[in-house]
Amino acid sequence: MKDFAYLRPRDAQEAVASLARHRPGARFFAGGTTLFDLMKLGIETPATVIDITRIDDLQRIDASARREIRIGALATMSEVAEHAVVQREFPALSESLWKAASQQLRNMATVGGNLLQRTRCAYFRDGLEFPCNKRTPGAGCAAIDGLNRTHAVLGGSSACVATYPGDMAVALVAFDALVDTLSPRGARTVAVRELHRAPGSTPHLETVLADDELIVRIRIPRDAVGRASTYHKIRDRESYAFALTSAAVALRLDGSQVADARIALGGVATRPWRATEAERSLIGGSLTRRTARRAATLAFEGARPLSHNAFKIALGIETVTDALMLAKERT
Ligand SMILES: Cc1cc2nc3c(=O)[nH]c(=O)nc-3n(C[C@H](O)[C@H](O)[C@H](O)COP(=O)(O)OP(=O)(O)OC[C@H]3O[C@@H](n4cnc5c(N)ncnc54)[C@H](O)[C@@H]3O)c2cc1C
Ligand code: SF4
C-alpha cells in the first residue's frame, strides 16, 4: 500500500472542504471495507484519506417523520438491518443488508460506503495485468471475451459489462429512495435510481457524484408498498457471496388486484435496475404464478448474454417470479 496523508474532520462541512482542498487523489474513509481492500490491491492509491467515522450527525437513523425515514450515511449495515421500523416497513431493505457480506463486515461497513462500493469483476480487481477500461480508460475489457459468468446481461456496453455488486441499492431503487449530498457548492438531492451511471464509453465514471461530494443521508418515502416486500438473492453459496441474481420486490394489493408493484434487479445489470415495464404488466390484474412469470420474463426483455452467463436470464426470471409470490404472501 502506498503512503497517504490522514485527516480527521470534525463535521460534514469540514470533511467536504478537506476533500475539495486535497483533490484529485483524496478519498473519504467510512467503514474502510471497500476502500482499504482496493488500496491493498493497488487499484485505489489516494494521496489523502479523510476519516469521516467520528462525525456523529451522519450516524443517526431517524424514523420520527411521518413521510420518510432518514438514514445517516454512517449508519452501519447491521444497524439499519436490525432497525425495528426498517424491518416492519421495508423488509426488503433489511433482508438486502442481512444477505450481504458477513456479520463482521456489516458491523463495520456503512450504508454510504455500501452505495459506492465498486465492482467485483475479477479483471478489475486481480492485479494490473489484464486490460480494464474501468481501471485504465481506453485499455480494453478482458471480460467481454474472457471469463464472464458473473457479469451483466443488462445495461452493458462494448467498453464494460461489470455488474454493480451491491444488494442494498437494489432495494432502495425499488422504494424510490433519495440521497442527500453536500459539497462546497452546497446541498443537493439525487434519486438512488439516478445515482449509478450506465458504463457507456466511460465505465470509470460510476456515479453522478462529483469527486468532492459527501453522501449525508438516505431518505426513503414511507409508502405502504414497502411492507409487503422481499429481497430474494441467489448466489453460489448461501452466505457470504455476491448475487448471481437478485430481486427486490414490493406489492400493494387492492382486494385481489395489484395496485402498486415494484421490481428491481441485482446481480444481472451494470447498475441497480428497475424493471418498470414488468411492474406495469401487473397493475390492475390479479397476481398468480403465471402473471408473475410473465412480468419476470418482461424484466429480462432486451437482456444480452455473454459467452458464459446466459444462465442468468433463466435464473433471473425464476428469482423475480419467486420474489413476487413471496411478496404476495406478505400483503
Ligand atoms: C468479502 C466481502 C464480501 C462482501 N459481500 C457483499 C455482499 O454480498 N453484498 C453487498 O452489497 N456488499 C458486499 N460487500 C461490500 C461491502 O458491503 C462494502 O465494502 C461496504 O458496504 C462499503 O462500506 P464502507 O463503509 O466500508 O465503505 P468504505 O470502504 O469506507 O468506502 C467505500 C467508498 O465510498 C466512499 N465513501 C464512503 N462513505 C462515503 C460518503 N458518506 N460520501 C461519499 N463517499 C463515501 C469512499 O471514499 C470509498 O470510495 C462485501 C465486501 C467484502 C470485503
Ligand atoms: S467488465 Fe468492466 S470492470 Fe471488468 S474488465 Fe471489463 S471494463 Fe474492466
Side-chain angles (χ1 to χ4, degrees):
M1 202 192 276
K2 291 205 170 141
D3 286 354
F4 54 87
Y6 172 83
L7 303 175
R8 191 194 288 164
R10 280 160 301 187
D11 56 34
Q13 296 284 356
E14 195 183 320
V16 164
S18 300
L19 192 71
R21 210 166 39 247
H22 292 90
R23 73 176 180 157
R27 285 279 186 280
F28 290 131
F29 148 51
T33 62
T34 283
L35 182 66
F36 290 151
D37 233 10
L38 294 175
M39 286 170 70
K40 284 189 233 165
L41 292 169
I43 292 164
E44 297 253 10
T45 52
T48 308
V49 170
I50 300 170
D51 177 349
I52 55 175
T53 55
R54 315 282 171 99
I55 303 178
D56 291 344
D57 286 355
L58 303 187
Q59 301 185 358
R60 261 175 237 127
I61 303 175
D62 177 5
S64 62
R66 199 165 57 84
R67 288 175 179 274
E68 62 183 19
I69 176 164
R70 298 173 189 150
I71 302 172
L74 290 180
T76 65
M77 291 169 71
S78 310
E79 284 163 350
V80 178
E82 283 169 23
H83 195 278
V85 174
V86 172
Q87 286 182 338
R88 190 170 61 242
E89 297 187 22
F90 305 100
L93 176 58
S94 175
E95 289 168 7
S96 72
L97 290 160
W98 276 127
K99 292 179 180 181
S102 64
Q103 186 64 49
Q104 291 91 334
L105 284 160
R106 293 191 293 265
N107 290 343
M108 289 289 295
T110 66
V111 291
N114 187 286
L115 280 174
L116 300 182
Q117 65 180 286
R118 305 193 68 190
T119 184
R120 310 305 284 197
C121 171
Y123 297 111
F124 170 75
R125 292 174 62 86
D126 269 7
L128 305 174
E129 62 192 282
F130 296 102
C132 171
N133 287 321
K134 196 182 270 298
R135 224 179 34 230
T136 314
C141 169
I144 287 177
D145 295 318
L147 296 174
N148 47 42
R149 175 177 177 271
T150 59
H151 287 69
V153 293
L154 290 164
S157 70
S158 58
C160 181
V161 287
T163 47
Y164 171 77
D167 294 296
M168 179 189 70
V170 179
L172 291 178
V173 160
F175 293 138
D176 289 333
L178 307 167
V179 287
D180 292 335
T181 72
L182 188 67
S183 78
R185 296 166 299 288
R188 71 165 176 149
T189 298
V190 180
V192 177
R193 198 172 168 175
E194 309 294 330
L195 181 66
H196 298 93
R197 292 173 187 248
S201 57
T202 54
H204 60 292
L205 302 176
E206 294 174 355
T207 72
V208 298
L209 298 186
D211 62 359
D212 59 356
E213 211 163 349
L214 173 76
I215 297 181
V216 173
R217 71 181 73 78
I218 297 167
R219 289 189 283 126
I220 315 172
R222 293 178 96 159
D223 192 320
V225 74
R227 289 178 182 252
S229 69
T230 188
Y231 185 74
H232 196 35
K233 177 174 176 181
I234 308 298
R235 40 193 160 164
D236 280 326
R237 41 167 203 260
E238 246 322 287
S239 86
Y240 201 31
F242 288 89
L244 287 170
T245 63
S246 73
V249 160
L251 283 177
R252 186 166 60 79
L253 296 188
D254 185 3
S256 64
Q257 291 197 328
V258 177
D260 195 353
R262 311 284 176 87
I263 302 173
L265 310 177
V268 291
T270 49
R271 50 197 289 234
W273 194 268
R274 185 87 177 255
T276 39
E277 283 302 312
E279 293 172 358
R280 264 197 287 275
S281 77
L282 293 170
I283 307 294
S286 58
L287 184 70
T288 62
R289 193 150 187 102
R290 192 177 60 78
T291 59
R293 177 174 286 278
R294 194 183 59 205
T297 306
L298 268 178
F300 283 85
E301 214 169 59
R304 292 174 54 180
L306 302 158
S307 43
H308 301 122
N309 69 0
F311 76 96
K312 281 196 175 189
I313 297 176
L315 188 62
I317 290 171
E318 289 305 317
T319 309
V320 174
T321 307
D322 287 348
L324 282 164
M325 300 319 288
L326 285 168
K328 186 184 177 189
E329 283 170 23
R330 293 181 177 176
T331 55

